[in-house]
């Protein structure tokens, strides 16, 4: 923007509005970041519950406790990474 032709009060107004615009944009980006983190945490939590409920049904017959724990945590980590990649690419 060419400030050379503006009066002093117009220059002040223009700088004020640009600062206000930047402040709003920064707040919006922070809110989006919070929403993304919440979505990741929610997905991880639901995934944890579903994985452990599924594994606990048949882990007693086919796996030891340590193996069942390793499989559950591995699936949880993979689902978290997939969710993060999905959110990053499509939001």
């Amino acid at each position: 923007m060419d400030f050379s032709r503006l009066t002093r009060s117009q220059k002040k107004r223009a700088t004020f509005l640009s600062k206000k615009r930047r402040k709003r944009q920064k707040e919006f980006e922070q809110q989006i970041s919070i929403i993304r983190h919440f979505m990741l945490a929610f997905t991880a939590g639901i995934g944890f519950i579903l994985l452990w409920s599924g594994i606990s049904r048949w882990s007693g017959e086919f796996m030891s406790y340590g193996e069942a724990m390793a499989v559950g945590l591995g699936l949880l980590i993979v689902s978290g990474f997939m969710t993060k990649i999905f959110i990053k690419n499509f939001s």
Side-chain angles (χ1 to χ4, degrees), residues 4-91:
S4 62
R5 294 186 178 197
L6 298 178
T7 64
R8 187 172 167 178
S9 61
Q10 289 171 333
K11 288 178 186 177
K12 284 183 179 180
R13 179 81 176 144
T15 55
F16 170 75
L17 290 176
S18 66
K19 286 179 183 178
K20 187 175 179 182
R21 203 174 303 118
R22 278 182 283 182
K23 183 179 177 184
R24 266 197 230 144
Q25 182 66 27
K26 187 176 180 182
E27 288 175 1
F28 178 72
E29 289 171 359
Q30 288 175 344
Q31 290 172 354
I32 291 296
S33 175
I34 290 169
I35 290 170
R36 285 182 184 166
H37 285 111
F38 175 77
M39 287 174 59
L40 283 173
F42 180 76
T43 304
I46 295 297
F48 184 72
I49 292 168
L50 293 175
L51 290 171
W52 274 106
S53 66
I55 289 172
S56 65
R57 290 183 183 177
W58 57 271
S59 66
E61 298 175 13
F62 301 111
M63 287 196 259
S64 68
Y65 181 75
E67 292 171 336
M69 179 82 96
V71 169
L73 290 176
L75 291 173
L76 179 66
I77 289 170
V78 168
S79 68
F81 284 138
M82 296 299 281
T83 305
K84 185 176 182 179
I85 291 168
F86 179 81
I87 290 172
K88 186 183 251 186
N89 289 332
F90 297 106
S91 63

